[in-house]
Amino acid sequence: MSTWSITWRLGATAVALIILTCGQFLNTNDFFPLGSLTQYATAKDLNGTVNSTCIEAQFPGEDEPRRLGFNTDTVGIERGDIESQLDRVIANPELMQTMADSFERLHPNEPKPEEMILCRTVTQLENGRSVGEPEHKILATWEVQ
């Protein structure tokens, strides 16, 4: 192998290790897949809970809010991107306007949502298996403009 080949491979490896180390010290996933690995650092309590963030929308003429897929094809953003900024979105629910706008743009034949609802389902575990019905919690709501 030539010196140049070895040099660029070692350089690329060094850069990746630096990014991974920074992600660990900053505890951020902004450098994914080289970000924080804390999600893998501890075992899940087999008798604890599993939280899952969800997004719902209230549409005109519908009695109940409709759960939407939390992805770029439905609301223009992935669930993980919201979960990493959950406190910020709860404190500033107007940020959900972007998801409503994206839904409207991505689904022009669907009615425009009247309200966006950021929610969480909490599933209780017993010996690592879900028990009972998941609890539904509303984290924030936003009346679509």
Side-chain angles (χ1 to χ4, degrees), residues 86-105:
L86 196 56
D87 292 337
R88 182 173 168 240
V89 177
I90 292 170
N92 303 287
E94 64 273 11
L95 294 171
M96 290 190 285
Q97 180 67 45
T98 304
M99 288 185 276
D101 295 342
S102 293
F103 180 86
E104 189 177 356
R105 186 183 78 253

Side-chain angles (χ1 to χ4, degrees), residues 33-99:
L34 299 174
S36 172
L37 302 177
T38 55
Q39 62 183 323
Y40 307 111
T42 59
K44 187 72 178 158
D45 181 3
L46 296 179
N47 294 310
T49 58
V50 175
N51 297 320
S52 179
T53 306
C54 50
I55 190 75
E56 296 177 342
Q58 181 66 52
F59 291 96
E62 295 183 8
D63 294 335
E64 295 290 323
R66 187 187 327 160
R67 184 170 288 198
L68 304 176
F70 218 146
N71 55 56
T72 55
D73 293 334
T74 305
V75 291
I77 192 167
E78 295 290 341
R79 178 175 41 180
D81 294 325
I82 292 295
E83 287 177 337
S84 67
Q85 301 183 49
L86 196 56
D87 292 337
R88 182 173 168 240
V89 177
I90 292 170
N92 303 287
E94 64 273 11
L95 294 171
M96 290 190 285
Q97 180 67 45
T98 304
M99 288 185 276

Side-chain angles (χ1 to χ4, degrees), residues 11 21 29 35 53 57 77 80-81 83 98 107 113 117 124 129 136:
T21 302
N29 285 317
T53 306
I77 192 167
D81 294 325
E83 287 177 337
T98 304
H107 305 277
I117 303 160
Q124 181 64 46
R129 297 185 187 270
H136 184 265

